Short mmCIF file of all heavy atoms in Angstrom, two decimals:
data_model
loop_
_atom_site.label_atom_id
_atom_site.label_comp_id
_atom_site.label_asym_id
_atom_site.label_seq_id
_atom_site.Cartn_x
_atom_site.Cartn_y
_atom_site.Cartn_z
N MET A 1269 21.73 -3.97 12.40
CA MET A 1269 22.22 -3.08 11.36
C MET A 1269 21.12 -2.07 11.02
O MET A 1269 19.98 -2.44 10.76
CB MET A 1269 22.59 -3.91 10.13
CG MET A 1269 23.15 -3.10 9.02
SD MET A 1269 23.73 -4.24 7.73
CE MET A 1269 23.59 -3.19 6.36
N LYS A 1270 21.47 -0.82 11.00
CA LYS A 1270 20.52 0.24 10.71
C LYS A 1270 20.39 0.42 9.20
O LYS A 1270 21.37 0.44 8.48
CB LYS A 1270 20.99 1.54 11.35
CG LYS A 1270 20.01 2.66 11.21
CD LYS A 1270 20.50 3.91 11.90
CE LYS A 1270 19.49 5.01 11.68
NZ LYS A 1270 19.92 6.27 12.26
N SER A 1271 19.13 0.53 8.74
CA SER A 1271 18.91 0.73 7.30
C SER A 1271 19.12 2.20 6.95
O SER A 1271 18.91 3.09 7.78
CB SER A 1271 17.51 0.28 6.90
OG SER A 1271 16.54 1.04 7.57
N ASN A 1272 19.51 2.44 5.73
CA ASN A 1272 19.76 3.79 5.26
C ASN A 1272 18.61 4.32 4.42
O ASN A 1272 18.78 5.25 3.66
CB ASN A 1272 21.06 3.83 4.44
CG ASN A 1272 22.27 3.48 5.29
OD1 ASN A 1272 22.29 3.77 6.47
ND2 ASN A 1272 23.25 2.86 4.68
N PHE A 1273 17.47 3.68 4.54
CA PHE A 1273 16.31 4.11 3.78
C PHE A 1273 15.03 3.77 4.53
O PHE A 1273 15.04 2.95 5.45
CB PHE A 1273 16.28 3.48 2.39
CG PHE A 1273 16.14 1.99 2.41
CD1 PHE A 1273 14.89 1.40 2.37
CD2 PHE A 1273 17.25 1.16 2.49
CE1 PHE A 1273 14.75 0.01 2.40
CE2 PHE A 1273 17.12 -0.21 2.50
CZ PHE A 1273 15.87 -0.79 2.46
N GLU A 1274 13.97 4.42 4.13
CA GLU A 1274 12.64 4.16 4.70
C GLU A 1274 11.67 4.00 3.54
O GLU A 1274 11.71 4.77 2.59
CB GLU A 1274 12.22 5.33 5.58
CG GLU A 1274 10.90 5.13 6.27
CD GLU A 1274 10.58 6.31 7.19
OE1 GLU A 1274 11.48 6.83 7.86
OE2 GLU A 1274 9.40 6.69 7.20
N ILE A 1275 10.82 2.99 3.62
CA ILE A 1275 9.80 2.77 2.59
C ILE A 1275 8.51 3.42 3.07
O ILE A 1275 8.05 3.16 4.17
CB ILE A 1275 9.58 1.27 2.33
CG1 ILE A 1275 10.87 0.63 1.84
CG2 ILE A 1275 8.44 1.07 1.32
CD1 ILE A 1275 10.82 -0.87 1.73
N LYS A 1276 7.96 4.27 2.22
CA LYS A 1276 6.69 4.93 2.53
C LYS A 1276 5.63 4.37 1.59
O LYS A 1276 5.84 4.34 0.38
CB LYS A 1276 6.81 6.43 2.35
CG LYS A 1276 7.88 7.03 3.24
CD LYS A 1276 7.49 8.38 3.69
CE LYS A 1276 8.57 8.90 4.60
NZ LYS A 1276 8.08 9.62 5.70
N TYR A 1277 4.52 3.95 2.17
CA TYR A 1277 3.43 3.39 1.37
C TYR A 1277 2.37 4.46 1.12
O TYR A 1277 2.07 5.26 2.00
CB TYR A 1277 2.83 2.17 2.07
CG TYR A 1277 3.83 1.04 2.16
CD1 TYR A 1277 4.50 0.78 3.34
CD2 TYR A 1277 4.14 0.29 1.04
CE1 TYR A 1277 5.46 -0.23 3.41
CE2 TYR A 1277 5.09 -0.71 1.10
CZ TYR A 1277 5.74 -0.97 2.28
OH TYR A 1277 6.69 -1.95 2.34
N HIS A 1278 1.82 4.46 -0.08
CA HIS A 1278 0.84 5.47 -0.50
C HIS A 1278 -0.54 4.86 -0.71
O HIS A 1278 -1.36 5.42 -1.42
CB HIS A 1278 1.32 6.14 -1.79
CG HIS A 1278 2.72 6.64 -1.69
ND1 HIS A 1278 3.08 7.68 -0.86
CD2 HIS A 1278 3.86 6.24 -2.29
CE1 HIS A 1278 4.39 7.89 -0.97
NE2 HIS A 1278 4.88 7.03 -1.83
N LEU A 1279 -0.78 3.75 -0.07
CA LEU A 1279 -2.03 3.02 -0.27
C LEU A 1279 -3.25 3.85 0.14
O LEU A 1279 -4.24 3.90 -0.59
CB LEU A 1279 -2.00 1.70 0.50
CG LEU A 1279 -3.23 0.80 0.37
CD1 LEU A 1279 -3.49 0.46 -1.10
CD2 LEU A 1279 -3.02 -0.47 1.18
N PHE A 1280 -3.17 4.51 1.28
CA PHE A 1280 -4.31 5.30 1.77
C PHE A 1280 -4.70 6.36 0.74
O PHE A 1280 -5.87 6.48 0.38
CB PHE A 1280 -3.97 5.96 3.11
CG PHE A 1280 -5.07 6.85 3.62
CD1 PHE A 1280 -6.15 6.32 4.29
CD2 PHE A 1280 -5.01 8.22 3.42
CE1 PHE A 1280 -7.17 7.14 4.76
CE2 PHE A 1280 -6.02 9.05 3.89
CZ PHE A 1280 -7.11 8.51 4.56
N ASP A 1281 -3.72 7.12 0.26
CA ASP A 1281 -4.01 8.19 -0.70
C ASP A 1281 -4.59 7.64 -2.00
O ASP A 1281 -5.55 8.20 -2.54
CB ASP A 1281 -2.74 8.99 -1.01
CG ASP A 1281 -2.22 9.75 0.20
OD1 ASP A 1281 -3.04 10.13 1.06
OD2 ASP A 1281 -0.99 9.95 0.29
N LEU A 1282 -4.03 6.56 -2.50
CA LEU A 1282 -4.53 5.97 -3.75
C LEU A 1282 -5.94 5.41 -3.57
O LEU A 1282 -6.80 5.58 -4.44
CB LEU A 1282 -3.59 4.87 -4.24
CG LEU A 1282 -2.23 5.36 -4.75
CD1 LEU A 1282 -1.28 4.18 -4.91
CD2 LEU A 1282 -2.40 6.11 -6.05
N ARG A 1283 -6.18 4.79 -2.43
CA ARG A 1283 -7.52 4.25 -2.16
C ARG A 1283 -8.54 5.37 -2.09
O ARG A 1283 -9.64 5.26 -2.65
CB ARG A 1283 -7.49 3.45 -0.85
CG ARG A 1283 -8.83 2.84 -0.49
CD ARG A 1283 -8.74 1.95 0.73
NE ARG A 1283 -8.33 2.62 1.94
CZ ARG A 1283 -9.12 3.40 2.69
NH1 ARG A 1283 -10.38 3.61 2.34
NH2 ARG A 1283 -8.65 3.96 3.79
N LYS A 1284 -8.19 6.47 -1.43
CA LYS A 1284 -9.11 7.60 -1.31
C LYS A 1284 -9.36 8.26 -2.67
O LYS A 1284 -10.48 8.67 -2.96
CB LYS A 1284 -8.57 8.64 -0.32
CG LYS A 1284 -8.64 8.18 1.12
CD LYS A 1284 -10.08 7.97 1.53
CE LYS A 1284 -10.20 7.62 2.99
NZ LYS A 1284 -11.58 7.45 3.41
N GLN A 1285 -8.32 8.35 -3.51
CA GLN A 1285 -8.49 8.91 -4.86
C GLN A 1285 -9.49 8.11 -5.67
O GLN A 1285 -10.20 8.66 -6.51
CB GLN A 1285 -7.14 8.94 -5.60
CG GLN A 1285 -6.20 10.00 -5.12
CD GLN A 1285 -4.84 9.90 -5.79
OE1 GLN A 1285 -4.65 9.14 -6.75
NE2 GLN A 1285 -3.86 10.63 -5.27
N LYS A 1286 -9.54 6.81 -5.43
CA LYS A 1286 -10.47 5.93 -6.14
C LYS A 1286 -11.82 5.83 -5.44
O LYS A 1286 -12.70 5.08 -5.88
CB LYS A 1286 -9.87 4.52 -6.29
CG LYS A 1286 -8.52 4.49 -6.97
CD LYS A 1286 -8.61 4.68 -8.44
CE LYS A 1286 -7.22 4.52 -9.07
NZ LYS A 1286 -7.25 4.57 -10.51
N ASN A 1287 -11.98 6.56 -4.33
CA ASN A 1287 -13.23 6.56 -3.55
C ASN A 1287 -13.62 5.15 -3.11
O ASN A 1287 -14.79 4.75 -3.22
CB ASN A 1287 -14.38 7.21 -4.33
CG ASN A 1287 -14.14 8.68 -4.54
OD1 ASN A 1287 -13.73 9.39 -3.62
ND2 ASN A 1287 -14.37 9.15 -5.75
N LEU A 1288 -12.64 4.41 -2.61
CA LEU A 1288 -12.89 3.05 -2.14
C LEU A 1288 -12.73 2.97 -0.63
O LEU A 1288 -11.85 3.62 -0.06
CB LEU A 1288 -11.89 2.08 -2.77
CG LEU A 1288 -11.97 1.86 -4.28
CD1 LEU A 1288 -10.78 1.06 -4.76
CD2 LEU A 1288 -13.27 1.16 -4.63
N THR A 1289 -13.56 2.19 0.01
CA THR A 1289 -13.37 1.88 1.41
C THR A 1289 -12.35 0.75 1.52
O THR A 1289 -12.03 0.07 0.53
CB THR A 1289 -14.68 1.42 2.07
OG1 THR A 1289 -15.07 0.18 1.48
CG2 THR A 1289 -15.78 2.48 1.92
N GLU A 1290 -11.85 0.52 2.73
CA GLU A 1290 -10.95 -0.61 2.93
C GLU A 1290 -11.65 -1.91 2.57
O GLU A 1290 -11.06 -2.81 1.97
CB GLU A 1290 -10.47 -0.66 4.39
CG GLU A 1290 -9.50 0.44 4.73
CD GLU A 1290 -9.05 0.40 6.18
OE1 GLU A 1290 -9.59 -0.41 6.97
OE2 GLU A 1290 -8.17 1.20 6.53
N ARG A 1291 -12.90 -2.02 2.92
CA ARG A 1291 -13.68 -3.24 2.63
C ARG A 1291 -13.81 -3.45 1.12
O ARG A 1291 -13.68 -4.57 0.62
CB ARG A 1291 -15.06 -3.14 3.29
CG ARG A 1291 -15.86 -4.42 3.21
CD ARG A 1291 -17.17 -4.34 3.97
NE ARG A 1291 -17.04 -3.88 5.34
CZ ARG A 1291 -16.66 -4.64 6.38
NH1 ARG A 1291 -16.40 -5.90 6.17
NH2 ARG A 1291 -16.59 -4.14 7.59
N GLU A 1292 -14.08 -2.38 0.38
CA GLU A 1292 -14.21 -2.50 -1.09
C GLU A 1292 -12.88 -2.89 -1.72
O GLU A 1292 -12.84 -3.75 -2.61
CB GLU A 1292 -14.71 -1.17 -1.67
CG GLU A 1292 -16.15 -0.86 -1.32
CD GLU A 1292 -16.56 0.56 -1.65
OE1 GLU A 1292 -15.71 1.48 -1.65
OE2 GLU A 1292 -17.76 0.76 -1.93
N LEU A 1293 -11.79 -2.26 -1.26
CA LEU A 1293 -10.47 -2.61 -1.80
C LEU A 1293 -10.13 -4.06 -1.46
O LEU A 1293 -9.56 -4.77 -2.29
CB LEU A 1293 -9.39 -1.66 -1.28
CG LEU A 1293 -7.98 -1.92 -1.77
CD1 LEU A 1293 -7.90 -1.93 -3.31
CD2 LEU A 1293 -7.01 -0.90 -1.19
N SER A 1294 -10.50 -4.49 -0.29
CA SER A 1294 -10.27 -5.87 0.10
C SER A 1294 -10.99 -6.83 -0.85
O SER A 1294 -10.41 -7.82 -1.31
CB SER A 1294 -10.74 -6.10 1.54
OG SER A 1294 -10.61 -7.45 1.90
N ALA A 1295 -12.24 -6.53 -1.17
CA ALA A 1295 -13.01 -7.39 -2.07
C ALA A 1295 -12.41 -7.40 -3.47
O ALA A 1295 -12.38 -8.44 -4.13
CB ALA A 1295 -14.46 -6.91 -2.13
N LEU A 1296 -11.91 -6.26 -3.93
CA LEU A 1296 -11.33 -6.18 -5.27
C LEU A 1296 -9.96 -6.86 -5.37
O LEU A 1296 -9.62 -7.41 -6.41
CB LEU A 1296 -11.17 -4.71 -5.69
CG LEU A 1296 -12.44 -3.93 -5.99
CD1 LEU A 1296 -12.12 -2.44 -6.15
CD2 LEU A 1296 -13.11 -4.47 -7.24
N SER A 1297 -9.20 -6.80 -4.29
CA SER A 1297 -7.81 -7.26 -4.33
C SER A 1297 -7.59 -8.65 -3.76
O SER A 1297 -6.58 -9.29 -4.07
CB SER A 1297 -6.92 -6.27 -3.58
OG SER A 1297 -7.23 -6.27 -2.19
N GLY A 1298 -8.48 -9.08 -2.86
CA GLY A 1298 -8.24 -10.34 -2.16
C GLY A 1298 -7.32 -10.18 -0.96
O GLY A 1298 -6.96 -11.17 -0.31
N VAL A 1299 -6.94 -8.96 -0.65
CA VAL A 1299 -6.10 -8.66 0.52
C VAL A 1299 -7.05 -8.34 1.67
O VAL A 1299 -8.01 -7.59 1.48
CB VAL A 1299 -5.15 -7.47 0.23
CG1 VAL A 1299 -4.35 -7.10 1.47
CG2 VAL A 1299 -4.23 -7.80 -0.94
N SER A 1300 -6.80 -8.88 2.83
CA SER A 1300 -7.72 -8.68 3.95
C SER A 1300 -7.81 -7.21 4.35
O SER A 1300 -6.84 -6.45 4.21
CB SER A 1300 -7.31 -9.52 5.16
OG SER A 1300 -6.14 -8.99 5.76
N LYS A 1301 -8.97 -6.84 4.85
CA LYS A 1301 -9.19 -5.48 5.32
C LYS A 1301 -8.20 -5.13 6.42
O LYS A 1301 -7.67 -4.02 6.46
CB LYS A 1301 -10.63 -5.33 5.81
CG LYS A 1301 -10.97 -3.94 6.29
CD LYS A 1301 -12.40 -3.92 6.84
CE LYS A 1301 -12.72 -2.63 7.55
NZ LYS A 1301 -11.91 -2.37 8.74
N SER A 1302 -7.93 -6.06 7.30
CA SER A 1302 -7.00 -5.79 8.40
C SER A 1302 -5.58 -5.56 7.88
O SER A 1302 -4.86 -4.69 8.38
CB SER A 1302 -7.02 -6.91 9.43
OG SER A 1302 -6.60 -8.12 8.87
N GLN A 1303 -5.18 -6.30 6.85
CA GLN A 1303 -3.84 -6.09 6.29
C GLN A 1303 -3.77 -4.73 5.59
O GLN A 1303 -2.77 -4.03 5.70
CB GLN A 1303 -3.45 -7.20 5.33
CG GLN A 1303 -2.01 -7.09 4.89
CD GLN A 1303 -1.51 -8.27 4.09
OE1 GLN A 1303 -2.29 -9.14 3.72
NE2 GLN A 1303 -0.23 -8.30 3.83
N ILE A 1304 -4.82 -4.35 4.88
CA ILE A 1304 -4.86 -3.04 4.24
C ILE A 1304 -4.72 -1.95 5.29
O ILE A 1304 -3.92 -1.02 5.13
CB ILE A 1304 -6.16 -2.87 3.42
CG1 ILE A 1304 -6.11 -3.78 2.19
CG2 ILE A 1304 -6.37 -1.41 3.02
CD1 ILE A 1304 -7.42 -3.91 1.44
N SER A 1305 -5.45 -2.08 6.37
CA SER A 1305 -5.38 -1.11 7.45
C SER A 1305 -3.98 -1.03 8.05
O SER A 1305 -3.45 0.06 8.30
CB SER A 1305 -6.39 -1.47 8.54
OG SER A 1305 -6.34 -0.55 9.59
N MET A 1306 -3.35 -2.17 8.26
CA MET A 1306 -2.00 -2.20 8.82
C MET A 1306 -0.98 -1.57 7.89
O MET A 1306 -0.09 -0.85 8.33
CB MET A 1306 -1.61 -3.64 9.15
CG MET A 1306 -2.35 -4.20 10.35
SD MET A 1306 -2.03 -5.95 10.66
CE MET A 1306 -0.27 -5.98 10.81
N ILE A 1307 -1.12 -1.79 6.59
CA ILE A 1307 -0.21 -1.17 5.61
C ILE A 1307 -0.40 0.34 5.64
O ILE A 1307 0.58 1.10 5.68
CB ILE A 1307 -0.44 -1.73 4.20
CG1 ILE A 1307 -0.09 -3.22 4.13
CG2 ILE A 1307 0.36 -0.94 3.16
CD1 ILE A 1307 -0.59 -3.92 2.89
N GLU A 1308 -1.65 0.78 5.62
CA GLU A 1308 -1.94 2.21 5.62
C GLU A 1308 -1.43 2.89 6.88
O GLU A 1308 -1.00 4.05 6.84
CB GLU A 1308 -3.44 2.45 5.45
CG GLU A 1308 -3.95 2.11 4.08
CD GLU A 1308 -5.40 2.42 3.87
OE1 GLU A 1308 -6.12 2.74 4.84
OE2 GLU A 1308 -5.84 2.34 2.71
N ASP A 1309 -1.47 2.19 8.01
CA ASP A 1309 -1.01 2.76 9.28
C ASP A 1309 0.50 2.65 9.47
O ASP A 1309 1.03 3.12 10.47
CB ASP A 1309 -1.71 2.06 10.45
CG ASP A 1309 -3.19 2.37 10.51
OD1 ASP A 1309 -3.63 3.37 9.91
OD2 ASP A 1309 -3.93 1.59 11.17
N GLY A 1310 1.18 2.00 8.51
CA GLY A 1310 2.63 1.85 8.61
C GLY A 1310 3.06 0.73 9.54
O GLY A 1310 4.21 0.69 9.97
N ASN A 1311 2.14 -0.20 9.82
CA ASN A 1311 2.44 -1.29 10.74
C ASN A 1311 2.69 -2.62 10.05
O ASN A 1311 2.78 -3.65 10.72
CB ASN A 1311 1.29 -1.45 11.74
CG ASN A 1311 1.15 -0.23 12.62
OD1 ASN A 1311 2.14 0.36 13.02
ND2 ASN A 1311 -0.07 0.18 12.89
N ALA A 1312 2.77 -2.61 8.71
CA ALA A 1312 3.03 -3.85 7.98
C ALA A 1312 3.80 -3.53 6.71
O ALA A 1312 3.62 -2.46 6.12
CB ALA A 1312 1.73 -4.55 7.63
N ASN A 1313 4.65 -4.44 6.32
CA ASN A 1313 5.37 -4.36 5.06
C ASN A 1313 4.81 -5.44 4.14
O ASN A 1313 5.03 -6.63 4.37
CB ASN A 1313 6.88 -4.57 5.26
CG ASN A 1313 7.50 -3.40 5.96
OD1 ASN A 1313 7.27 -2.26 5.58
ND2 ASN A 1313 8.29 -3.66 6.98
N PRO A 1314 4.07 -5.04 3.11
CA PRO A 1314 3.43 -6.03 2.25
C PRO A 1314 4.44 -6.80 1.41
O PRO A 1314 5.50 -6.28 1.05
CB PRO A 1314 2.50 -5.19 1.38
CG PRO A 1314 3.13 -3.84 1.36
CD PRO A 1314 3.78 -3.67 2.70
N THR A 1315 4.07 -8.02 1.07
CA THR A 1315 4.89 -8.82 0.17
C THR A 1315 4.72 -8.28 -1.26
O THR A 1315 3.78 -7.51 -1.54
CB THR A 1315 4.45 -10.29 0.19
OG1 THR A 1315 3.12 -10.37 -0.32
CG2 THR A 1315 4.54 -10.88 1.59
N LEU A 1316 5.57 -8.72 -2.14
CA LEU A 1316 5.45 -8.34 -3.55
C LEU A 1316 4.11 -8.81 -4.11
O LEU A 1316 3.46 -8.08 -4.88
CB LEU A 1316 6.61 -8.93 -4.35
CG LEU A 1316 6.67 -8.58 -5.83
CD1 LEU A 1316 6.68 -7.06 -6.04
CD2 LEU A 1316 7.88 -9.21 -6.47
N HIS A 1317 3.67 -9.97 -3.71
CA HIS A 1317 2.37 -10.49 -4.16
C HIS A 1317 1.24 -9.56 -3.73
O HIS A 1317 0.34 -9.25 -4.52
CB HIS A 1317 2.15 -11.90 -3.59
CG HIS A 1317 0.89 -12.53 -4.06
ND1 HIS A 1317 -0.31 -12.37 -3.41
CD2 HIS A 1317 0.63 -13.31 -5.14
CE1 HIS A 1317 -1.25 -13.02 -4.06
NE2 HIS A 1317 -0.71 -13.60 -5.11
N THR A 1318 1.29 -9.10 -2.50
CA THR A 1318 0.27 -8.18 -1.99
C THR A 1318 0.31 -6.85 -2.73
O THR A 1318 -0.73 -6.31 -3.10
CB THR A 1318 0.44 -7.97 -0.48
OG1 THR A 1318 0.29 -9.24 0.19
CG2 THR A 1318 -0.56 -6.98 0.08
N ILE A 1319 1.50 -6.34 -2.96
CA ILE A 1319 1.64 -5.08 -3.71
C ILE A 1319 1.04 -5.22 -5.10
O ILE A 1319 0.31 -4.34 -5.57
CB ILE A 1319 3.12 -4.65 -3.78
CG1 ILE A 1319 3.59 -4.16 -2.40
CG2 ILE A 1319 3.34 -3.56 -4.83
CD1 ILE A 1319 5.06 -3.89 -2.30
N CYS A 1320 1.31 -6.33 -5.76
CA CYS A 1320 0.76 -6.55 -7.10
C CYS A 1320 -0.76 -6.68 -7.07
O CYS A 1320 -1.45 -6.12 -7.93
CB CYS A 1320 1.40 -7.78 -7.74
SG CYS A 1320 3.13 -7.53 -8.17
N ALA A 1321 -1.30 -7.40 -6.09
CA ALA A 1321 -2.76 -7.55 -5.98
C ALA A 1321 -3.42 -6.20 -5.76
O ALA A 1321 -4.45 -5.88 -6.37
CB ALA A 1321 -3.10 -8.51 -4.84
N LEU A 1322 -2.84 -5.38 -4.89
CA LEU A 1322 -3.39 -4.05 -4.62
C LEU A 1322 -3.27 -3.14 -5.84
O LEU A 1322 -4.20 -2.39 -6.15
CB LEU A 1322 -2.70 -3.42 -3.41
CG LEU A 1322 -3.00 -4.08 -2.07
CD1 LEU A 1322 -2.04 -3.58 -1.00
CD2 LEU A 1322 -4.45 -3.85 -1.66
N SER A 1323 -2.16 -3.21 -6.53
CA SER A 1323 -1.98 -2.34 -7.71
C SER A 1323 -2.96 -2.71 -8.81
O SER A 1323 -3.50 -1.82 -9.48
CB SER A 1323 -0.53 -2.38 -8.21
OG SER A 1323 -0.22 -3.61 -8.79
N LEU A 1324 -3.22 -4.00 -9.00
CA LEU A 1324 -4.21 -4.42 -9.99
C LEU A 1324 -5.60 -3.92 -9.62
O LEU A 1324 -6.35 -3.43 -10.47
CB LEU A 1324 -4.21 -5.94 -10.14
CG LEU A 1324 -3.03 -6.53 -10.89
CD1 LEU A 1324 -3.01 -8.05 -10.74
CD2 LEU A 1324 -3.07 -6.14 -12.36
N ALA A 1325 -5.95 -4.03 -8.34
CA ALA A 1325 -7.26 -3.59 -7.88
C ALA A 1325 -7.44 -2.09 -8.02
O ALA A 1325 -8.54 -1.61 -8.30
CB ALA A 1325 -7.47 -4.02 -6.43
N LEU A 1326 -6.35 -1.35 -7.83
CA LEU A 1326 -6.40 0.12 -7.92
C LEU A 1326 -6.11 0.64 -9.33
O LEU A 1326 -6.19 1.84 -9.57
CB LEU A 1326 -5.40 0.73 -6.93
CG LEU A 1326 -5.74 0.56 -5.46
CD1 LEU A 1326 -4.53 0.89 -4.59
CD2 LEU A 1326 -6.94 1.42 -5.09
N ASN A 1327 -5.74 -0.27 -10.22
CA ASN A 1327 -5.40 0.11 -11.60
C ASN A 1327 -4.25 1.11 -11.65
O ASN A 1327 -4.31 2.13 -12.33
CB ASN A 1327 -6.62 0.64 -12.35
CG ASN A 1327 -6.42 0.64 -13.85
OD1 ASN A 1327 -5.69 -0.20 -14.38
ND2 ASN A 1327 -7.06 1.57 -14.53
N VAL A 1328 -3.19 0.81 -10.88
CA VAL A 1328 -1.97 1.62 -10.88
C VAL A 1328 -0.78 0.68 -11.02
O VAL A 1328 -0.91 -0.54 -10.86
CB VAL A 1328 -1.84 2.45 -9.58
CG1 VAL A 1328 -3.00 3.44 -9.44
CG2 VAL A 1328 -1.73 1.57 -8.35
N GLN A 1329 0.36 1.24 -11.28
CA GLN A 1329 1.59 0.46 -11.34
C GLN A 1329 2.01 0.09 -9.91
O GLN A 1329 1.80 0.88 -8.98
CB GLN A 1329 2.71 1.25 -12.01
CG GLN A 1329 2.46 1.54 -13.47
CD GLN A 1329 2.42 0.26 -14.29
OE1 GLN A 1329 3.29 -0.61 -14.15
NE2 GLN A 1329 1.42 0.13 -15.12
N PRO A 1330 2.62 -1.07 -9.71
CA PRO A 1330 3.07 -1.44 -8.36
C PRO A 1330 3.96 -0.38 -7.71
O PRO A 1330 3.83 -0.10 -6.52
CB PRO A 1330 3.83 -2.75 -8.57
CG PRO A 1330 3.20 -3.35 -9.79
CD PRO A 1330 2.85 -2.17 -10.67
N CYS A 1331 4.82 0.24 -8.51
CA CYS A 1331 5.73 1.25 -7.95
C CYS A 1331 4.99 2.50 -7.46
O CYS A 1331 5.55 3.29 -6.70
CB CYS A 1331 6.81 1.62 -8.95
SG CYS A 1331 6.21 2.35 -10.49
N ASP A 1332 3.73 2.68 -7.87
CA ASP A 1332 2.95 3.82 -7.39
C ASP A 1332 2.52 3.64 -5.93
O ASP A 1332 2.14 4.61 -5.27
CB ASP A 1332 1.70 4.03 -8.24
CG ASP A 1332 2.02 4.46 -9.66
OD1 ASP A 1332 3.11 5.04 -9.87
OD2 ASP A 1332 1.19 4.21 -10.55
N LEU A 1333 2.59 2.42 -5.43
CA LEU A 1333 2.13 2.14 -4.07
C LEU A 1333 3.15 2.51 -3.00
O LEU A 1333 2.80 2.54 -1.82
CB LEU A 1333 1.77 0.67 -3.92
CG LEU A 1333 0.49 0.23 -4.61
CD1 LEU A 1333 0.32 -1.26 -4.51
CD2 LEU A 1333 -0.71 0.94 -3.99
N PHE A 1334 4.39 2.77 -3.38
CA PHE A 1334 5.39 3.08 -2.38
C PHE A 1334 6.48 3.97 -2.95
O PHE A 1334 6.61 4.11 -4.16
CB PHE A 1334 6.02 1.79 -1.81
CG PHE A 1334 6.81 1.00 -2.81
CD1 PHE A 1334 8.16 1.18 -2.95
CD2 PHE A 1334 6.17 0.08 -3.63
CE1 PHE A 1334 8.89 0.45 -3.89
CE2 PHE A 1334 6.87 -0.66 -4.57
CZ PHE A 1334 8.25 -0.46 -4.69
N SER A 1335 7.22 4.58 -2.05
CA SER A 1335 8.42 5.34 -2.43
C SER A 1335 9.50 5.03 -1.41
O SER A 1335 9.21 4.58 -0.29
CB SER A 1335 8.13 6.84 -2.50
OG SER A 1335 7.69 7.33 -1.26
N ILE A 1336 10.72 5.26 -1.81
CA ILE A 1336 11.86 5.00 -0.93
C ILE A 1336 12.50 6.33 -0.59
O ILE A 1336 12.84 7.11 -1.48
CB ILE A 1336 12.88 4.07 -1.62
CG1 ILE A 1336 12.21 2.75 -1.96
CG2 ILE A 1336 14.10 3.86 -0.71
CD1 ILE A 1336 13.05 1.85 -2.86
N GLU A 1337 12.63 6.57 0.70
CA GLU A 1337 13.28 7.80 1.18
C GLU A 1337 14.63 7.42 1.76
O GLU A 1337 14.71 6.65 2.71
CB GLU A 1337 12.40 8.46 2.25
CG GLU A 1337 12.95 9.77 2.76
CD GLU A 1337 12.03 10.40 3.76
OE1 GLU A 1337 10.82 10.54 3.48
OE2 GLU A 1337 12.52 10.74 4.85
N PHE A 1338 15.68 7.95 1.15
CA PHE A 1338 17.02 7.66 1.64
C PHE A 1338 17.36 8.59 2.78
O PHE A 1338 17.10 9.80 2.73
CB PHE A 1338 18.05 7.78 0.51
CG PHE A 1338 17.87 6.71 -0.53
CD1 PHE A 1338 17.16 6.97 -1.69
CD2 PHE A 1338 18.38 5.44 -0.33
CE1 PHE A 1338 16.96 5.98 -2.65
CE2 PHE A 1338 18.17 4.44 -1.27
CZ PHE A 1338 17.47 4.72 -2.43
N LEU A 1339 17.91 8.04 3.84
CA LEU A 1339 18.21 8.80 5.05
C LEU A 1339 19.63 9.30 5.06
O LEU A 1339 20.49 8.83 4.43
CB LEU A 1339 17.94 7.94 6.29
CG LEU A 1339 16.55 7.31 6.34
CD1 LEU A 1339 16.48 6.36 7.52
CD2 LEU A 1339 15.48 8.37 6.45
#
């Protein structure tokens, strides 16, 4: 079944705005550096737990980490 939407993650932009490396964000959030890289590259869909951990580390709302584009 084809989905009618695409989820876009904004982790890279938010991380750069905070002047954090992937390693620093990993230390702050408890999310592995490799998982952060995969999310930023569009190769992983994070769980709600991961989204919340990243949003706390970045001091943003969870909804700021992604947007939904309807096709």
Side-chain angles (χ1 to χ4, degrees):
M1269 182 173 154
K1270 185 178 178 183
S1271 62
N1272 296 328
F1273 64 91
E1274 183 177 320
I1275 299 172
K1276 300 214 178 219
Y1277 295 101
H1278 309 293
L1279 182 57
F1280 176 82
D1281 295 330
L1282 290 168
R1283 181 175 62 77
K1284 288 297 185 178
Q1285 286 175 10
K1286 304 284 184 174
N1287 294 316
L1288 294 171
T1289 65
E1290 288 179 353
R1291 188 175 308 280
E1292 290 169 331
L1293 180 56
S1294 176
L1296 290 170
S1297 66
V1299 176
S1300 72
K1301 181 184 170 297
S1302 62
Q1303 187 172 9
I1304 290 169
S1305 180
M1306 288 174 56
I1307 295 166
E1308 290 184 350
D1309 292 341
N1311 296 321
N1313 289 312
T1315 64
L1316 182 56
H1317 183 271
T1318 299
I1319 288 172
C1320 289
L1322 291 168
S1323 70
L1324 286 170
L1326 291 166
N1327 197 30
V1328 298
Q1329 294 296 313
C1331 62
D1332 293 336
L1333 287 174
F1334 65 93
S1335 60
I1336 300 170
E1337 183 178 309
F1338 293 97
L1339 308 173

